[in-house]
């Protein structure tokens, strides 16, 4: 992505091998996945994976991201209606509702939970009939926002996998995102579990639940 001085981005991308993504079939996996993440990919492949997950009974997280503008509305709708969860940013969420003709209420009736990231305003988690507001973790500097959304999703899912409550999952996502924001490039950041937990506790009281991260490190 090309990023300007106020962190607006224009994406440019060469598909390369991704143009053949639809040749990969979930039916061919030698194991049953616990969770499938359908993130930006060849539109045909994203639609195919949604259908395969539904046929195989595999729960999946739907994160169409910038491909909201390339996927046909009816295919996006199939992806949303069969998903276990949905991840989008504010702008993508508006486009998703417009292209699928689904209201927020209709979307929430289909997914177990939804996360909408809102840049410097944090994020919103919709789950169990409630809305949870997630604040940002102040960065030491702002270097490059590329990859921040992916990092948020990764941190969130780690907490979700460990059975943490929604606010803790969201705050883990926010902290993971901040680490990326502070570095140029999407994978140039690093931290140990102990460093992650210590920084989290500078801002939030986890009541000891993050000790599970230290035990598994």
């Amino acid at each position: 992505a090309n990023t300007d001085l106020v962190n607006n981005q224009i994406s440019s991308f060469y598909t390369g091998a991704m143009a053949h993504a639809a040749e990969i079939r979930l039916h061919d996996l030698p194991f049953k996945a616990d969770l499938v993440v359908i993130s930006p990919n060849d539109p045909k492949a994203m639609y195919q994976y949604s259908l395969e997950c539904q046929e195989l009974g595999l729960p999946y997280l739907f994160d169409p991201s910038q491909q909201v503008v390339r996927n046909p509305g009816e295919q996006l709708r199939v992806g949303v209606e069969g998903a276990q969860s949905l991840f989008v940013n504010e702008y993508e969420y508006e486009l998703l509702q417009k292209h699928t003709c689904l209201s927020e209420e209709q979307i929430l009736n289909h997914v177990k939970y939804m996360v909408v990231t809102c840049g410097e305003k944090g994020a919103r988690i919709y789950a169990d009939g409630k809305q949870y507001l997630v604040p940002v973790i102040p960065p030491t500097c702002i270097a490059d926002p590329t990859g921040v959304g992916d990092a948020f999703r990764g941190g969130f899912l780690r907490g979700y996998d460990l059975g943490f409550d929604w606010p803790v999952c969201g705050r883990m996502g926010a902290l993971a995102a901040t680490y990326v924001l502070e570095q140029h490039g999407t994978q140039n950041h690093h931290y140990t579990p102990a460093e992650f937990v210590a920084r989290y506790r500078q801002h939030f009281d986890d009541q000891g639940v993050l000790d599970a991260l230290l035990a598994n490190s």
Side-chain angles (χ1 to χ4, degrees):
N2 300 308
T3 308
D4 68 14
L5 294 177
V6 291
N7 291 324
N8 294 311
Q9 292 184 308
I10 298 176
S11 295
S12 54
F13 188 71
Y14 170 63
T15 57
M18 195 183 80
H20 302 279
E23 298 172 16
I24 299 173
R25 308 283 297 184
L26 296 177
H27 285 88
D28 297 332
L29 288 177
F31 57 88
K32 184 174 182 179
D34 295 323
L35 177 69
V36 176
V37 176
I38 301 178
S39 55
N41 202 335
D42 173 65
K44 180 180 177 181
M46 294 177 69
Y47 179 55
Q48 174 186 301
Y49 298 156
S50 298
L51 293 177
E52 285 190 280
C53 283
Q54 293 171 29
E55 292 169 5
L56 296 170
L58 298 175
Y60 66 92
L61 181 158
F62 193 54
D63 180 2
S65 191
Q66 64 265 27
Q67 293 293 52
V68 165
V69 298
R70 291 190 62 205
N71 280 278
E74 62 273 15
Q75 293 185 10
L76 286 170
R77 185 166 182 144
V78 168
V80 171
E81 291 181 341
Q84 179 213 58
S85 53
L86 175 67
F87 271 67
V88 284
N89 66 30
E90 271 188 311
Y91 174 66
E92 295 159 358
Y93 188 39
E94 290 181 11
L95 291 179
L96 185 69
Q97 290 177 287
K98 178 181 178 181
H99 292 173
T100 61
C101 298
L102 290 171
S103 67
E104 181 170 288
E105 181 180 3
Q106 289 172 314
I107 291 173
L108 293 176
N109 282 336
H110 287 291
V111 299
K112 179 179 179 180
Y113 66 89
M114 176 175 71
V115 176
V116 180
T117 57
C118 308
E120 62 186 13
K121 295 179 291 184
R124 304 190 302 269
I125 302 171
Y126 298 81
D128 303 326
K130 299 178 181 179
Q131 181 181 155
Y132 302 88
L133 301 180
V134 180
V136 298
I137 308 294
T140 56
C141 65
I142 298 177
D144 184 359
T146 307
V148 166
D150 295 318
F152 186 104
R153 184 181 64 209
F156 180 99
L157 287 177
R158 178 58 173 150
Y160 181 78
D161 183 56
L162 290 171
F164 296 162
D165 64 26
W166 299 116
V168 172
C169 291
R171 293 164 188 164
M172 286 180 63
L175 178 52
T178 293
Y179 275 107
V180 175
L181 186 61
E182 294 169 339
Q183 300 290 330
H184 286 284
T186 59
Q187 298 183 54
N188 290 330
H189 61 290
H190 59 85
Y191 49 81
T192 65
E195 290 170 340
F196 186 93
V197 171
R199 189 169 181 182
Y200 182 103
R201 288 173 174 169
Q202 290 175 7
H203 302 278
F204 309 111
D205 179 9
D206 64 292
Q207 298 184 338
V209 299
L210 292 193
D211 287 345
L213 293 176
L214 304 177
N216 293 326
S217 63

